[in-house]
Amino acid sequence: MSDNQDFTVENLGKCSIKSPIAMSKTAGDGIANYVTDDQFVRLGVTVKAGAQQPVKRSQILERAGPREMIYFTPAHVHAGIVSCGGLCPGINDVIRAIVRCLWYRYGVTRISGIRYGYRGFLPESSFPVKPLEPDNVDDIHKIGGTFLGSARGGGKEVSKIVDTLERLNLNILFTIGGDGTQRGTLDIAEEVKKRQLKISLVGIPKTVDNDFSLIDRSFGFQTAIEKATDIVTAAHMEAVSAINGIGLVKVMGRESGFIAACTALASHEVNFVLIPEVPFNLEGYNGFLRHLEDRLKTRKHAMIIVAEGAMQEQLLTDRKHDAGGNLKLADVGTYMRDRINKYFDEKKMEINLKYIDPSYAIRSARANPADSIYCERLGNAAAHAAMAGKTKVIIGLVNNKYVHLPIGAAIAQRRHVDPEGNLWRDTLDATHQPAQMVNKFEK
């Protein structure tokens, strides 16, 4: 991240209304304290010994939490919540937390759910808003998916979306979604500002791939690891029970292999992890198939995880995009399945390959306890930020502290597994696969 990056959070105006949440301003009195705008979290925690330079604004982030003075009068607030893009464990937990915090802590009783993503704002869609209150959200954390429905696309219809915000008389909009959704949030916020409207736009970053930059992790990621590990355990059992058994599991990870790497570490049963960040050859003296063959000859079984974004530079013949602007990927899982079968068939070597793609089962699951806790706290922090008039901001966990991040900074780049970093180093230790499976010269 550039030293010129400014993490200053925008406010709609002066906070002059006393918060209805009774808290303390004094440390040590046994009562929870308000958070102030001069409390920060340092972005980078690694330092070198010796004299340090003064901390720059590009190195600190504003703490999230309830303020003593807020911007909105709670009785006047009409808040909206929308969930966009693909499913992810924990969306319902976030919705529930926002509604309950607004209702019980601030006394906001006009809360509307926008149906089916940004498309729910478009007049031609004709989706009615869904009134939200504790009674109809209290149990939604017990199911997967999203209580409000979701869809891709519509986020570029900025003028129509802001027209609907005005018609609904919304003061606050919470957007739950990935980087595409948050780009839309930023565009909406710019149009709101151009029209001189006082509407707070607060995002909660949702991507099961865990590829949002700056934040420690995105919600749903830990659930995805848990579910993927169960699948790998089953595939491994199939492999060890067969003659030259091979388990092949495809997991999510369009550009980042965090799920694949962490599932391998969690399961302790994976022999090869194939991710977008680490190119590899299939054929050749140092290719993956040669190493897979050696593994079968020595250990009689093998377990493979491949991230959906692996090998796309070789597999994609044209670049088409879905409604949300995401590149449509080739199916690396079925391709790998067929190539492995063909390779050993040509060698007349018996194998028994079981291929599993659990992607939709994973992303539609309910959140596990760790993610449910995380979502509850993200939702609460989002409600506090909005009532304090913060805008163009997302809520994130940085160095285990909840912070406000300007949306522009958070979506400026995606996070990737560093092939020279400690996560990939530990993955190689767990799998014993070669550090590189690339043919650097003919042999």
Side-chain angles (χ1 to χ4, degrees), residues 250-421:
K250 184 180 82 170
V251 297
M252 292 161 289
R254 296 179 58 85
E255 297 182 19
S256 305
F258 289 105
I259 292 178
C262 291
T263 299
L265 291 174
S267 70
H268 310 293
E269 294 168 337
V270 179
N271 310 115
F272 298 95
V273 177
L274 308 175
I275 61 175
E277 297 91 333
V278 182
F280 61 94
N281 294 131
L282 277 180
E283 307 281 357
Y285 76 95
N286 194 34
F288 162 73
L289 291 172
R290 172 70 179 274
H291 290 290
L292 176 59
E293 180 182 357
D294 290 344
R295 163 76 191 183
L296 291 178
K297 287 178 177 178
T298 57
R299 298 302 300 273
K300 310 305 181 186
H301 71 278
M303 183 65 228
I304 308 159
I305 295 180
V306 59
E308 62 180 324
M311 290 191 70
Q312 294 302 313
E313 70 283 353
Q314 302 173 50
L315 299 181
L316 279 180
T317 56
D318 54 10
R319 299 179 69 84
K320 296 181 180 180
H321 295 79
D322 62 21
N326 295 310
L327 184 66
K328 290 185 177 180
L329 302 181
D331 191 339
V332 67
T334 56
Y335 177 81
M336 290 290 296
R337 176 198 64 194
D338 296 343
R339 286 297 301 272
I340 292 170
N341 279 323
K342 180 181 178 183
Y343 177 84
F344 288 104
D345 183 58
E346 290 174 348
K347 287 184 169 289
K348 301 189 185 311
M349 181 175 172
E350 180 182 0
I351 65 168
N352 287 276
L353 187 151
K354 297 296 188 295
Y355 169 61
I356 304 174
D357 178 359
S359 301
Y360 292 104
I362 290 173
R363 74 178 198 169
S364 62
R366 61 174 289 186
N368 69 8
D371 267 325
S372 190
I373 293 169
Y374 188 29
C375 291
E376 175 79 11
R377 301 189 70 185
L378 286 172
N380 289 341
H384 296 315
M387 291 302 294
K390 310 291 181 182
T391 193
K392 298 184 187 178
V393 66
I394 68 169
I395 308 301
L397 190 69
V398 175
N399 300 327
N400 208 34
K401 305 292 184 184
Y402 291 86
V403 300
H404 300 148
L405 280 164
I407 292 176
I411 64 174
Q413 61 188 33
R414 286 187 175 176
R415 187 167 60 149
H416 300 95
V417 174
D418 180 1
E420 297 181 8

Side-chain angles (χ1 to χ4, degrees), residues 50 127 182 245 306 333 342 423:
F127 299 126
Q182 301 310 332
V306 59
K342 180 181 178 183
L423 174 61

Side-chain angles (χ1 to χ4, degrees), residues 12 33 36 91 111 139 232 236 257 264 397:
L12 294 177
N33 296 318
T36 61
I91 298 175
I111 311 170
D139 293 327
V232 165
H236 178 258
L397 190 69

